Amino acid sequence: MHQQMAATLDSVFDRIREIQRQARDGKAAEGCPRWPMIVLRSPKGWTGPKEVDGKKVEGFWRAHQVPVSNCRGDDGHRKILEDWMRGYDPEDLFGADGRLKPELRALAPAGERRMGANPHANGGLLRRELDVPDISDYAVDIGKRGSAMVQSTEILGHYLRDTMKRNAEAANFRIFGPDETESNRLGSVFDVTDRVWMEGIEPYDVHLSRDGRVMEVLSEHLCQGWLEGYLLTGRHGLFSCYEAFIHIIDSMFNQHAKWLKVTRELEWRKPISSLNYLLTSHVWRQDHNGFSHQDPGFVDLVANKKADIVRIYLPPDANTLLWVGDHCLRTYDRVNVIVAGKQPEPQWLSMDEAAKHCEAGIGIWHWAGNEEDATSPDLVMACAGDVPTMETLAAVDLLRRAIPELKIRTVNVVDLLALQSRDQHPHGLTDEAFDAIFTSDKPVIFAYHGYPYLIHRLTYKRTNHRNIHVRGFIEEGTTTTPFDMTVLNQLDRYHLAIEAIERVPGLKEKAKEALAAFRGKLAEHHDYVREYGEDMPEVRNWTWPAA
Amino acid sequence: MHQQMAATLDSVFDRIREIQRQARDGKAAEGCPRWPMIVLRSPKGWTGPKEVDGKKVEGFWRAHQVPVSNCRGDDGHRKILEDWMRGYDPEDLFGADGRLKPELRALAPAGERRMGANPHANGGLLRRELDVPDISDYAVDIGKRGSAMVQSTEILGHYLRDTMKRNAEAANFRIFGPDETESNRLGSVFDVTDRVWMEGIEPYDVHLSRDGRVMEVLSEHLCQGWLEGYLLTGRHGLFSCYEAFIHIIDSMFNQHAKWLKVTRELEWRKPISSLNYLLTSHVWRQDHNGFSHQDPGFVDLVANKKADIVRIYLPPDANTLLWVGDHCLRTYDRVNVIVAGKQPEPQWLSMDEAAKHCEAGIGIWHWAGNEEDATSPDLVMACAGDVPTMETLAAVDLLRRAIPELKIRTVNVVDLLALQSRDQHPHGLTDEAFDAIFTSDKPVIFAYHGYPYLIHRLTYKRTNHRNIHVRGFIEEGTTTTPFDMTVLNQLDRYHLAIEAIERVPGLKEKAKEALAAFRGKLAEHHDYVREYGEDMPEVRNWTWPAA
């Protein structure tokens, strides 16, 4: 058997060398070379006991885990164990001192050839920093706030294109995704590279080549596995995926996060690049698709893992997405999840503002509130995620027009885990900082991108938790207009404004007209989308007043 | 093409009939017959526009979703759309009134032969109630409370065996699992059926046969897919799985739950049997395995789905498991998740007590507390899950011995979603009922099977939420002793007792000795497991005082 195995390995190595030589001489045959692969089928429990208690063990499922049980108490079983162990001829292997004989030790390879010391199995040793451009070169000039409609992921695409270019020689950066690079608006990377493709390429094909650095295959499992292997061997990458379908690799994410947690405790393991997810085509924008494509729950799973391993970012516009994307690519030993839409959306922050906001993780958007005395608003309107941010700002606009005397504070959250207490997560705000933003006693209407429970779970220890009222995805969905999706889940501007009025003490009685108007708008919307199949013009064309 | 397709279907049907005839005549060849399968590769966007704007569309990825965009605004594109639609010769298909011509309508099949009316696509129409035995026939006689050590899933196995038997003729019940039926202690079903096996069967094989009703394959995806298909066609089933690995089918679970949510709103869709999961070999008992096998987060995902679709049960012993298993098999249009260990564990409730407890979902275990006046304990010790229940009772025992004057109430939760408010889940307790159990102001130490956040998320609306302190799996694991797993995650009896003392106002000062003793035990445990590789005898051999 050993002779056979050695001979097979020799012939396989020869074949690999031959394929490489042909490719390097430019004499490779058309199509993908057939790389050799060894299929070794060996009996389960091979060389272990053939039978125990008259029952077949070797080559059978009984060989699993512990083939002979209770060897302490059962003399017959102990004899089986002893015979088995003696079958290895320990006298030939070990000296009188119980140590492996020197001539056998000498057979083992030395240095990096040792299996446990091979740098390809400790990728951090091979890792080179990614050469990234300056994000300010890609910044969106937002002009008047809320006036520019931009596809945020497209802007990130420009940054990724140049990152790809700067690291072309190092050949250590790849983008992975289930056939969605274009669809997710990252297409400008194809200005500098292609999709890797090993089959035939036809004249009408576009952006396919043997050495493309975009890995596309309609299997989230394969994308995840490829990226894990790529990171573990010291390289860098980004996995862009439809939000709902990233659940396909939940179990693989779990295992990678566990692996990171454990290896961080092993000094000899050097840090590897973070596993970065860009979740786009998200729950709120599934115009052609439907309920099956609507699931923002991956982050709930992520938040279960060890705090220092995971980060969750919900950039509300292009400049914040640029900051977050760049930040994630430069971290290590983490799993970063970025959730950002690909549809045109209003732009809120200049690059400088975005950098400050993202570094803090959470911030008051003073320009979007009207509290004169910064310490005592009547109401906090909070949001996390691009669509909730737009709906919150529209609700603030409605409320300010209808009830000018209401003092509103607007808060936006980019770094979701900053909501947690500092003793639960390293990014968590201190209680003082949290209270300074969310107040200790005012109603907070929180519009959140995903399942609302996550916000409660993250904030339950906070002073003002009882007053935090969360709107999010409550598993109501279908194929409908973008705004109707928010209405079905009560995350839209009218529901938010109504809830604000209902939650501010005494306001309900004073703002009857506004309440009636907002409820009327919901009824109008209901009829309008059914008649015209698109959103009401005042919704579609709404812009922030400054715009 | 149509002629070719028809001819292929004819030959395929002939082949199926032939295989069936041979099998029914007892003349089937050895091994699994090769069922015919049609592989039809058709060009993407077949018969659609060949090109748009000079770019290839038919037979290419550009044919995806909307092959010709902006047909309203672009005359050239509209012409392409019109030519395409006219290619179907609508004048030949529709009359002057715009309706399909009667002679064409007559070609469609009638009644149940219509695709949408076929009962095989509306399994509820075919569904027959499962014939289940009386659970009291399988009840464990618990004797003195906590004295019997029983493998709870083995007891459920007896019930499943007889359920299998009673429905043998109806042939509408199957058990699915990744090669774990024996390992999960459900092996007694093999008294009455086998694993289904279509390959060759050797003389040394056990419990394999062509018509076995246990479906085993080491692919959670296949198990899930098979079971979904089985339920959707009107049958009944149970999927038993290692707890950590059920995440592999997260995405499939999501889609099934969404499907149930939508079909419940369609009157013509008849209810189908529930999708039942038995998650065992759970996080707290992975003696041979390690950190990779430790993940209790599936229920977090489940709790995101529509409340009326999902149920989560954590029976603490065999009789409660019997009640829950039987209940789940008799429900419909739901996803039921049962989490229960397979290792020997103390038995707490008689069958009658178990039935009352499970029906209520949550209950005070008066026998395990020492509050004389039932309205005012000093402390509530709550638990959900079998291992947390044992650790909680052991902590109560420690506290009662050390501080006899402390009035303790012990609460157990079987039906996890009963913790939610009634407006969030149909099983939710009213606030009055919840407060009557958990008090409105006393500290609650809650030992929970999974990630602790879920309990906060379920109870954040409750009066006493600020005083609920949850211990659960905090992602600390390795290959170690059973008790050490609880210590690593601070869910063990000593940590629970320490936290109780720290949380009851004024007790810390009075119970210094007990505190020191419990902390001492943790240190002792730390050294003991490292020296002996097993738990301290006083932990291993602990029993409830009544036992």
Side-chain angles (χ1 to χ4, degrees):
Chain A
M1 163 62 215
H2 294 286
Q3 293 293 345
Q4 235 183 311
M5 187 72 196
T8 304
L9 283 171
D10 282 345
S11 73
V12 158
F13 281 128
D14 289 347
R15 177 75 194 119
I16 292 172
R17 291 283 182 228
E18 176 64 17
I19 291 171
Q20 289 174 329
R21 198 185 50 73
Q22 286 181 346
R24 285 162 192 167
D25 294 353
K27 287 179 191 157
E30 258 303 290
C32 186
R34 295 185 62 178
W35 295 94
M37 175 167 150
I38 301 174
V39 179
L40 170 65
R41 289 184 67 175
S42 70
K44 189 173 174 92
W46 201 10
T47 75
K50 302 243 178 284
E51 284 194 353
V52 175
D53 302 334
K55 287 183 175 164
K56 185 176 172 66
V57 173
E58 189 189 48
F60 205 56
W61 51 260
R62 289 197 191 93
H64 195 63
Q65 286 202 342
V66 184
V68 207
S69 63
N70 191 23
C71 288
R72 279 192 200 174
D74 184 320
D75 290 347
H77 282 196
R78 194 168 54 252
K79 181 75 170 57
I80 291 171
L81 178 64
E82 188 183 334
D83 290 348
W84 175 17
M85 292 296 109
R86 290 207 181 279
Y88 292 106
D89 299 328
E91 297 79 3
D92 295 349
L93 305 174
F94 301 97
D97 58 354
R99 288 170 178 271
L100 193 60
K101 291 187 177 170
E103 63 269 32
L104 295 175
R105 282 181 66 96
L107 292 174
E112 290 190 352
R113 295 276 168 161
R114 290 171 299 168
M115 220 189 261
N118 186 319
H120 294 284
N122 188 0
L125 291 170
L126 302 173
R127 180 177 181 266
R128 292 166 56 179
E129 290 297 324
L130 199 64
D131 178 9
V132 292
D134 185 342
I135 50 172
S136 58
D137 295 345
Y138 310 88
V140 170
D141 177 3
I142 62 165
K144 285 186 180 168
R145 253 186 241 288
S147 64
M149 293 296 281
V150 169
Q151 298 185 314
S152 298
T153 53
E154 188 185 349
I155 303 299
L156 182 69
H158 303 159
Y159 165 88
L160 293 173
R161 173 197 61 211
D162 291 349
T163 301
M164 192 64 88
K165 209 157 131 189
R166 292 163 88 106
N167 298 279
E169 207 177 319
N172 62 350
F173 179 57
R174 286 185 186 268
I175 293 176
F176 303 76
D179 191 16
E180 292 158 12
T181 310
E182 286 273 17
S183 160
N184 290 335
R185 311 290 185 264
L186 304 177
S188 58
V189 297
F190 294 125
D191 295 350
V192 297
T193 189
D194 297 302
R195 297 173 183 90
V196 67
W197 187 253
M198 304 309 288
E199 297 294 316
I201 297 175
E202 304 299 329
Y204 50 77
D205 277 326
V206 282
H207 299 315
L208 298 188
S209 74
R210 291 280 179 274
D211 56 357
R213 307 202 64 77
V214 175
M215 314 285 289
E216 282 196 350
V217 60
L218 192 34
S219 159
E220 286 78 2
H221 289 120
L222 266 182
C223 290
Q224 172 80 16
W226 283 343
L227 176 52
E228 283 185 19
Y230 202 61
L231 300 175
L232 288 168
T233 48
R235 280 82 68 89
H236 308 263
L238 174 77
F239 181 177
S240 107
C241 190
Y242 271 46
E243 182 185 47
F245 301 137
I246 196 69
H247 273 300
I248 290 171
I249 56 78
D250 278 3
S251 185
M252 298 177 80
F253 152 77
N254 270 342
Q255 298 300 333
H256 190 74
K258 281 174 180 287
W259 193 89
L260 288 177
K261 189 255 182 194
V262 172
T263 58
R264 278 181 171 216
E265 295 159 9
L266 305 173
E267 214 187 322
W268 58 272
R269 277 240 169 247
K270 298 303 164 208
I272 58 167
S273 300
S274 297
L275 178 48
N276 300 308
Y277 296 103
L278 173 65
L279 304 187
T280 180
S281 305
H282 64 51
V283 55
W284 302 111
R285 291 290 182 274
Q286 284 297 333
D287 313 3
H288 295 303
N289 302 310
F291 195 39
S292 61
H293 286 53
Q294 293 158 352
D295 191 308
F298 183 65
V299 296
D300 295 73
L301 191 87
V302 169
N304 276 344
K305 295 295 132 185
K306 269 295 180 197
D308 203 36
I309 304 290
V310 294
R311 299 288 186 275
I312 300 167
Y313 297 98
L314 293 146
D317 67 1
N319 288 334
T320 49
L321 175 60
L322 269 175
W323 189 95
V324 167
D326 174 67
H327 174 76
C328 292
L329 282 181
R330 290 184 293 112
T331 64
Y332 48 83
D333 276 355
R334 287 199 194 135
V335 178
N336 296 306
V337 183
I338 310 169
V339 185
K342 68 184 186 185
Q343 303 291 354
E345 58 189 12
Q347 299 297 309
W348 309 111
L349 301 186
S350 71
M351 196 67 244
D352 281 353
E353 290 169 336
K356 279 196 198 86
H357 183 51
C358 292
E359 266 161 37
I362 295 184
I364 300 174
W365 283 3
H366 291 286
W367 52 267
N370 65 341
E371 42 173 345
E372 273 134 48
D373 167 0
T375 60
S376 63
D378 301 317
L379 167 73
V380 178
M381 297 289 284
C383 46
D386 49 11
V387 166
T389 298
M390 182 172 75
E391 290 307 310
T392 293
L393 289 188
V396 168
D397 182 26
L398 289 171
L399 287 167
R400 284 175 62 177
R401 283 172 206 266
I403 318 163
E405 66 277 18
L406 183 67
K407 299 295 170 231
I408 305 175
R409 172 179 295 176
T410 306
V411 170
N412 183 268
V413 181
V414 176
D415 180 351
L416 200 68
L417 299 178
L419 291 172
Q420 267 190 317
S421 306
R422 183 150 288 185
D423 62 349
Q424 294 178 311
H425 196 280
H427 281 202
L429 292 187
T430 63
D431 281 335
E432 295 68 35
F434 189 94
D435 292 353
I437 291 173
F438 289 94
T439 81
S440 56
D441 57 353
K442 295 298 187 292
V444 178
I445 311 299
F446 199 130
Y448 168 56
H449 173 85
Y451 294 101
Y453 324 104
L454 184 58
I455 301 301
H456 289 297
R457 165 182 154 175
L458 296 174
T459 60
Y460 73 88
K461 287 195 171 184
R462 303 297 193 173
T463 317
N464 197 29
H465 177 252
R466 285 216 170 252
N467 290 313
I468 300 182
H469 308 283
V470 187
R471 296 284 149 202
F473 184 62
I474 50 172
E475 200 68 15
E476 289 294 336
T478 182
T479 309
T480 185
T481 67
F483 185 68
D484 196 43
M485 271 302 295
T486 65
V487 174
L488 290 174
N489 291 279
Q490 305 177 16
L491 180 79
D492 62 284
R493 55 199 69 179
Y494 300 118
H495 274 102
L496 295 177
I498 291 168
E499 178 143 31
I501 293 173
E502 287 174 340
R503 296 290 184 183
V504 174
L507 190 57
K508 213 159 128 180
E509 292 69 32
K510 281 189 247 165
K512 279 186 186 157
E513 242 175 81
L515 259 186
F518 300 156
R519 289 186 180 136
K521 282 293 168 196
L522 284 172
E524 203 182 319
H525 156 81
H526 179 272
D527 296 344
Y528 191 95
V529 292
R530 276 151 191 80
E531 184 164 352
Y532 298 100
E534 61 181 14
D535 289 319
M536 299 190 293
E538 68 186 281
V539 168
R540 264 185 292 138
N541 303 328
W542 174 84
T543 54
W544 179 247
Chain B
M1 164 60 216
H2 294 286
Q3 292 293 345
Q4 235 184 309
M5 188 72 196
T8 304
L9 283 170
D10 282 345
S11 73
V12 158
F13 281 128
D14 288 347
R15 177 76 193 119
I16 292 173
R17 291 282 184 228
E18 176 63 17
I19 292 170
Q20 289 174 329
R21 199 185 49 70
Q22 286 181 348
R24 284 161 193 166
D25 294 353
K27 288 179 193 159
E30 260 301 291
C32 186
R34 295 187 59 177
W35 295 95
M37 174 167 149
I38 302 174
V39 179
L40 170 64
R41 288 184 67 175
S42 70
K44 189 174 175 88
W46 202 9
T47 74
K50 302 243 175 286
E51 284 193 353
V52 174
D53 301 334
K55 287 182 176 165
K56 185 175 172 66
V57 174
E58 189 189 47
F60 205 56
W61 50 261
R62 288 195 191 92
H64 194 61
Q65 284 201 341
V66 184
V68 207
S69 63
N70 189 23
C71 288
R72 279 192 200 173
D74 184 320
D75 289 346
H77 282 197
R78 193 167 54 254
K79 180 71 171 56
I80 291 172
L81 178 64
E82 187 181 335
D83 290 348
W84 176 15
M85 293 297 108
R86 290 206 181 281
Y88 293 106
D89 297 328
E91 297 79 4
D92 295 348
L93 305 174
F94 302 97
D97 58 355
R99 287 168 179 272
L100 192 62
K101 290 185 176 171
E103 63 271 31
L104 295 176
R105 283 181 65 96
L107 292 174
E112 290 191 351
R113 295 276 168 161
R114 289 171 300 168
M115 221 190 263
N118 186 319
H120 293 284
N122 188 1
L125 291 170
L126 302 173
R127 180 177 180 265
R128 291 167 55 181
E129 289 298 323
L130 198 64
D131 179 9
V132 291
D134 185 342
I135 51 173
S136 57
D137 294 346
Y138 309 88
V140 171
D141 177 3
I142 63 166
K144 285 187 179 166
R145 251 188 243 287
S147 63
M149 293 297 282
V150 169
Q151 297 184 313
S152 299
T153 52
E154 188 185 349
I155 303 300
L156 182 69
H158 302 160
Y159 165 89
L160 292 173
R161 173 198 61 211
D162 291 347
T163 301
M164 192 65 86
K165 210 158 129 189
R166 291 164 89 107
N167 299 278
E169 207 177 321
N172 61 350
F173 179 56
R174 286 184 187 268
I175 293 176
F176 303 76
D179 192 14
E180 292 158 12
T181 311
E182 286 274 17
S183 160
N184 290 335
R185 311 289 185 265
L186 303 177
S188 58
V189 298
F190 295 126
D191 296 351
V192 298
T193 189
D194 297 303
R195 297 174 183 91
V196 67
W197 188 254
M198 304 310 288
E199 297 295 316
I201 298 176
E202 304 300 328
Y204 50 78
D205 278 326
V206 283
H207 299 315
L208 299 187
S209 73
R210 292 278 180 275
D211 56 0
R213 307 200 66 75
V214 174
M215 314 285 288
E216 283 197 348
V217 60
L218 193 34
S219 160
E220 287 78 2
H221 289 120
L222 266 182
C223 290
Q224 172 80 14
W226 283 343
L227 176 52
E228 284 184 20
Y230 202 60
L231 299 175
L232 289 168
T233 47
R235 280 81 67 89
H236 308 263
L238 174 77
F239 181 176
S240 109
C241 190
Y242 271 45
E243 182 185 46
F245 301 137
I246 196 69
H247 273 301
I248 292 171
I249 55 77
D250 277 3
S251 184
M252 298 177 79
F253 151 77
N254 270 342
Q255 298 300 333
H256 190 74
K258 281 175 180 287
W259 193 88
L260 287 177
K261 189 254 179 192
V262 172
T263 58
R264 277 182 170 213
E265 295 159 9
L266 306 172
E267 214 186 323
W268 58 271
R269 277 242 169 245
K270 297 304 164 206
I272 60 166
S273 300
S274 296
L275 178 49
N276 299 308
Y277 295 102
L278 174 64
L279 305 187
T280 180
S281 305
H282 63 51
V283 56
W284 302 111
R285 291 290 183 267
Q286 284 297 333
D287 312 4
H288 295 303
N289 302 310
F291 194 38
S292 60
H293 286 52
Q294 293 157 352
D295 190 308
F298 183 65
V299 295
D300 295 73
L301 191 88
V302 169
N304 276 345
K305 296 292 133 187
K306 268 298 180 197
D308 202 37
I309 304 291
V310 294
R311 299 286 186 273
I312 300 167
Y313 297 98
L314 293 146
D317 67 0
N319 288 334
T320 48
L321 176 59
L322 269 176
W323 189 94
V324 167
D326 173 69
H327 173 78
C328 292
L329 283 180
R330 292 185 289 113
T331 64
Y332 47 84
D333 275 356
R334 286 198 194 138
V335 178
N336 297 305
V337 183
I338 309 170
V339 186
K342 68 184 186 184
Q343 302 291 353
E345 58 189 11
Q347 299 295 310
W348 309 112
L349 301 186
S350 70
M351 196 68 244
D352 281 354
E353 291 169 336
K356 279 195 199 88
H357 184 51
C358 292
E359 267 161 35
I362 295 183
I364 300 174
W365 283 4
H366 291 286
W367 53 266
N370 65 341
E371 40 171 345
E372 273 133 49
D373 167 359
T375 60
S376 64
D378 301 316
L379 169 72
V380 178
M381 297 290 284
C383 48
D386 48 12
V387 167
T389 297
M390 182 170 76
E391 290 307 311
T392 293
L393 289 189
V396 168
D397 182 25
L398 290 171
L399 288 166
R400 284 174 61 176
R401 283 173 205 265
I403 318 162
E405 67 276 17
L406 183 68
K407 300 294 170 232
I408 305 175
R409 171 178 295 176
T410 306
V411 169
N412 183 268
V413 181
V414 176
D415 179 351
L416 200 68
L417 298 178
L419 291 171
Q420 267 190 317
S421 306
R422 182 150 289 185
D423 62 349
Q424 293 177 311
H425 196 281
H427 280 203
L429 291 188
T430 62
D431 281 335
E432 295 68 33
F434 189 94
D435 292 353
I437 291 173
F438 289 95
T439 80
S440 56
D441 57 354
K442 293 298 186 292
V444 178
I445 311 299
F446 198 127
Y448 167 57
H449 172 86
Y451 294 99
Y453 324 103
L454 183 58
I455 301 301
H456 289 297
R457 167 181 153 175
L458 297 174
T459 60
Y460 73 87
K461 286 194 172 183
R462 301 298 192 174
T463 316
N464 197 28
H465 177 252
R466 283 212 173 256
N467 290 312
I468 300 182
H469 308 284
V470 188
R471 295 284 150 201
F473 183 63
I474 51 172
E475 200 68 13
E476 289 295 336
T478 183
T479 309
T480 186
T481 68
F483 185 68
D484 196 44
M485 272 300 296
T486 64
V487 174
L488 289 175
N489 291 280
Q490 305 177 13
L491 179 78
D492 62 282
R493 54 198 69 179
Y494 300 118
H495 274 102
L496 295 177
I498 291 168
E499 178 143 32
I501 293 173
E502 288 175 340
R503 297 290 184 184
V504 174
L507 189 57
K508 214 158 127 180
E509 293 68 32
K510 282 190 248 167
K512 279 187 187 157
E513 242 175 83
L515 259 187
F518 300 156
R519 287 186 182 137
K521 282 293 169 198
L522 284 172
E524 204 181 319
H525 156 80
H526 179 272
D527 297 343
Y528 190 95
V529 293
R530 274 153 191 80
E531 186 164 351
Y532 298 100
E534 60 181 14
D535 290 319
M536 300 190 293
E538 66 186 281
V539 168
R540 264 186 290 139
N541 303 327
W542 173 85
T543 54
W544 180 246

